[in-house]
């Protein structure tokens, strides 16, 4: 049995603001910057929110780096759904109900 690494092409993305921002696809950088600015320009910086922010964006950077084409496709599909060019499909609750799972 082999274990798959959960890093980008064998290289770990350092969990720092600079490294995470540099590893993000260009389409995600503006959202990263806007969210960071909102957190850091509060009268009192919430360190838990800042840590959650970095953790979340680090996971996004890792996921995007693992398969950039898949990440791009996912974002394109999300934009199509958001703009109304494509239906969202069934909800998770509908899929589970169809399989006999009650929530």
């Amino acid at each position: 049995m082999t274990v798959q690494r959960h890093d980008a092409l064998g290289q770990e993305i350092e969990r720092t603001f600079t490294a995470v921002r540099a590893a993000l696809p260009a389409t995600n950088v503006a959202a990263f910057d806007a969210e960071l600015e909102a957190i850091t320009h509060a009268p009192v910086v919430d360190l838990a929110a800042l840590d959650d922010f970095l953790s979340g964006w680090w996971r996004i950077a890792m996921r995007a780096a693992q398969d950039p084409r898949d990440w791009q496709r996912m974002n394109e599909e999300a934009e199509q759904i958001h703009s109304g060019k494509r239906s969202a499909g069934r909800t998770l609750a509908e899929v589970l109900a169809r399989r006999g799972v009650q929530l």
Side-chain angles (χ1 to χ4, degrees), residues 38-83:
I39 293 170
T40 58
H41 283 82
V44 176
V45 176
D46 181 347
L47 295 180
L50 194 58
D51 188 53
D52 289 345
F53 163 83
L54 183 58
S55 294
W57 281 103
W58 177 79
R59 286 189 300 273
I60 290 170
M62 293 292 292
R63 170 65 179 79
Q66 285 175 354
D67 190 344
R69 284 181 285 185
D70 186 55
W71 183 255
Q72 181 181 0
R73 183 184 54 78
M74 184 272 307
N75 277 295
E76 289 168 357
E77 289 178 9
E79 180 56 36
Q80 290 171 356
I81 292 168
H82 182 71
S83 69

Side-chain angles (χ1 to χ4, degrees), residues 21-41:
R21 187 180 188 280
L24 288 172
T27 57
N28 298 109
V29 172
F32 175 94
D33 290 344
E35 190 175 342
L36 180 59
E37 185 172 337
I39 293 170
T40 58
H41 283 82

